[in-house]
Amino acid sequence: MEFIDERTQDGVTRRSFSVTVAGERVPAVIWAPAGARGPRPLVLMGHGGSQHKKTPGISARAAIYARKFGYATLAIDAPGHGDRVSREAAEAVARDTLARVTGQVASGWTPERLKLMAERTASAVPEWNAALAAAVGFDFVGSDGPVGYWGVSMGTAIGVPFVAQAPRITAAVFGLAGLRPGAAEFEAAAQQITIPVEFVFQWDDAVATREQGVALFDAFGSVQKTMHINPGGHMDIPDYEGASWERFFTRHLGVAAAAVEHAAAAE
Amino acid sequence: MEFIDERTQDGVTRRSFSVTVAGERVPAVIWAPAGARGPRPLVLMGHGGSQHKKTPGISARAAIYARKFGYATLAIDAPGHGDRVSREAAEAVARDTLARVTGQVASGWTPERLKLMAERTASAVPEWNAALAAAVGFDFVGSDGPVGYWGVSMGTAIGVPFVAQAPRITAAVFGLAGLRPGAAEFEAAAQQITIPVEFVFQWDDAVATREQGVALFDAFGSVQKTMHINPGGHMDIPDYEGASWERFFTRHLGVAAAAVEHAAAAE
């Protein structure tokens, strides 16, 4: 692990570091309450296609989780994303992704695209493992605390195979993805997942059909799993689903002891 | 309206009264915080088949809503239920219902059963209208406040046609029901509903198939609607869905002004 820098804003400290996996430097970032000491729940957040580890949704949620629950939040750049590609390449991916998720072009699971995604996932799983191992080495996280995963769209495409082989993770939010016919490895990974899952799905998503979404929900091996369906497209998850994720994680991961003390002191 | 009695327990007052509709006396009950004065949100709760207006789930939720949010909660006995039938008849219905919802007998939408349900709904809608009109006459409810509806299973079978024609109701929780092929009137009622809806559905429900559940969700005319799917049967709604209903209602109905003052004073 290579430590890069840290900055503190509004009571939350963000530390940047990197791990190296198979010769690739993987940029990572971890948020925690400023001055955090001792173990606390950790949430891993996997960004969507064309996004990056500090994408606004993740940054905002990480700060809120730190302030409200005392959580640490870890994010990494997926292969071919964020600081791992040039700005020009990232912008080209963003244009392509926007066209697909808004249905301007057919989602087009071409063989080339499926191959690219399979390679990306194959790289991303050990990268997440390495980043998680580094994160639990921070004294403000610790190696015994509960760990959750959040990731929709590409964050699910990568997250399902990752979570399936990560016994430390005890609760996961997935969504905006489906099970395509013939995606046998992905289906097998979903079946191996037995932890509580909240699966958020948009009923008019250009990226996955309703049937594919329901098929992925059905594939999860979890006894406790809930699918939340809302009308609208890939970018239209209602705000109240974000509030639901907070309750899902606090239900399963608890809150940091320090967060309880802090809340009591504030009353 | 005939007032019957009131009793107060643990800070919640329950008043029993009745309204008479088409010559039928309809027993009703309304819960509110003890000593409640002035307008507050009102939630109507429609019980399930074989249950009654004070069935444990409704009684418990009404008390919690009164204490936490300052709400009033109204429930009535559906036709052929509660105090409107003999204990022997109620017990026979309960045995029949239990066998159906647990899948011991086929759910069997026979023509006789569909006719009975249609008659029950036709009676229940004006009864709910009369009970709501009486409830908003209480000074602790008032005629201008927000009104929500909660009802699953038979509470949805009756609730959808009722809510469709009740402009006072601005948010509704439905569930444990589906749209059967040929149920044109019920489908039309669902299409007329345009208020926010949270629809809770059990994926292995002996009473409605997955397709019928999804078809009912699709039929609602609401822009803002969410379907929550959980594994398990008719009786297996997870506790956290109850917590989700609380947030749904407070999001759409607000909380009573007095409840805010009370919460502030308690800190």
Side-chain angles (χ1 to χ4, degrees):
Chain A
M1 189 190 93
E2 185 193 354
F3 186 78
I4 298 169
D5 67 14
E6 75 172 58
R7 52 172 284 190
T8 297
Q9 190 178 355
D10 297 335
V12 179
T13 299
R14 187 187 77 197
R15 292 171 177 83
S16 299
F17 64 100
S18 68
V19 291
T20 300
V21 179
E24 278 264 326
R25 198 174 147 276
V26 181
V29 61
I30 187 164
W31 292 262
R37 290 188 310 163
R40 68 197 57 252
L42 171 67
V43 176
L44 280 46
M45 294 202 190
H47 65 77
S50 89
Q51 300 178 338
H52 58 84
K53 63 187 177 306
K54 289 185 285 194
T55 207
I58 288 180
S59 293
R61 231 169 308 116
I64 290 167
Y65 285 19
R67 283 196 288 262
K68 283 174 78 169
F69 314 127
Y71 282 10
T73 297
L74 172 69
I76 62 176
D77 283 331
H81 285 74
D83 296 335
R84 304 175 68 172
V85 288
S86 68
R87 177 176 296 240
E88 293 70 26
E91 285 171 355
V93 169
R95 280 192 301 274
D96 171 63
T97 301
L98 185 66
R100 284 188 306 107
V101 302
T102 56
Q104 289 169 28
V105 300
S107 189
W109 301 110
T110 60
E112 294 72 28
R113 180 161 187 79
L114 291 172
K115 182 157 175 285
L116 174 72
M117 285 178 57
E119 289 170 358
R120 189 193 281 158
T121 299
S123 301
V125 169
E127 291 171 2
W128 263 122
N129 287 336
L132 173 56
V136 301
F138 286 113
D139 58 1
F140 59 86
V141 177
S143 56
D144 297 323
V147 181
Y149 180 87
W150 177 95
V152 301
S153 194
M154 191 180 79
T156 290
I158 288 172
V160 166
F162 165 57
V163 171
Q165 56 83 66
R168 277 298 303 277
I169 298 176
T170 54
V173 171
F174 296 119
L176 298 185
L179 185 61
R180 291 182 308 281
E185 278 185 50
F186 191 69
E187 181 174 20
Q191 290 167 342
Q192 283 163 35
I193 292 175
T194 56
I195 58 174
V197 166
E198 189 160 300
F199 181 66
V200 64
F201 192 78
Q202 293 294 105
W203 219 210
D204 311 293
D205 195 330
V207 171
T209 67
R210 296 177 178 189
E211 292 70 23
Q212 290 168 352
V214 167
L216 178 52
F217 174 67
D218 284 342
F220 290 120
S222 313
V223 172
Q224 194 177 123
K225 56 181 178 179
T226 307
M227 182 169 181
H228 287 193
I229 301 171
N230 289 286
H234 201 75
M235 318 288 277
D236 301 330
I237 295 180
D239 287 344
Y240 49 80
E241 294 296 345
S244 185
W245 301 331
E246 292 188 7
R247 293 181 301 266
F248 176 79
F249 283 127
T250 55
R251 201 158 69 232
H252 294 294
L253 309 181
V255 300
V260 176
E261 288 159 23
H262 179 74
E267 275 180 11
Chain B
M1 189 191 93
E2 184 193 356
F3 186 78
I4 299 169
D5 67 14
E6 75 172 58
R7 52 171 284 188
T8 297
Q9 190 178 355
D10 297 335
V12 179
T13 299
R14 187 186 78 198
R15 292 170 177 83
S16 299
F17 63 100
S18 68
V19 291
T20 299
V21 179
E24 278 264 328
R25 197 175 147 276
V26 181
V29 62
I30 188 165
W31 292 262
R37 290 188 312 162
R40 69 199 57 253
L42 170 68
V43 176
L44 280 46
M45 294 202 189
H47 65 77
S50 89
Q51 299 179 337
H52 57 84
K53 63 187 177 305
K54 289 185 284 193
T55 208
I58 289 180
S59 293
R61 231 170 306 118
I64 290 167
Y65 284 21
R67 283 195 288 262
K68 284 174 77 169
F69 313 127
Y71 282 11
T73 297
L74 172 68
I76 62 175
D77 284 329
H81 286 74
D83 295 335
R84 303 175 70 172
V85 288
S86 69
R87 176 176 298 242
E88 293 71 28
E91 285 172 356
V93 169
R95 279 193 301 274
D96 170 63
T97 301
L98 185 67
R100 284 188 306 108
V101 302
T102 57
Q104 289 168 30
V105 300
S107 190
W109 302 108
T110 59
E112 294 73 27
R113 179 160 187 80
L114 290 172
K115 182 158 175 285
L116 174 72
M117 285 178 56
E119 289 169 358
R120 190 193 280 158
T121 298
S123 301
V125 169
E127 291 171 3
W128 263 122
N129 286 335
L132 172 55
V136 300
F138 285 113
D139 59 1
F140 59 86
V141 177
S143 55
D144 298 322
V147 181
Y149 180 87
W150 177 94
V152 299
S153 194
M154 191 179 79
T156 289
I158 288 172
V160 166
F162 164 57
V163 171
Q165 56 84 66
R168 278 296 303 277
I169 297 176
T170 54
V173 171
F174 296 120
L176 298 186
L179 186 61
R180 291 182 309 281
E185 279 185 48
F186 190 70
E187 182 173 18
Q191 290 168 342
Q192 284 164 35
I193 291 175
T194 57
I195 57 174
V197 165
E198 189 160 300
F199 182 65
V200 63
F201 192 77
Q202 292 294 106
W203 219 211
D204 311 291
D205 194 331
V207 171
T209 68
R210 296 176 178 190
E211 292 70 23
Q212 289 168 353
V214 167
L216 178 52
F217 174 68
D218 284 341
F220 289 120
S222 313
V223 173
Q224 192 176 123
K225 55 181 178 180
T226 307
M227 181 169 181
H228 287 193
I229 300 171
N230 289 286
H234 201 74
M235 319 288 276
D236 301 330
I237 295 179
D239 286 346
Y240 50 81
E241 294 296 345
S244 184
W245 301 331
E246 292 188 6
R247 294 181 300 267
F248 176 80
F249 283 126
T250 56
R251 200 158 69 232
H252 294 293
L253 309 181
V255 299
V260 176
E261 288 159 23
H262 179 74
E267 273 178 10

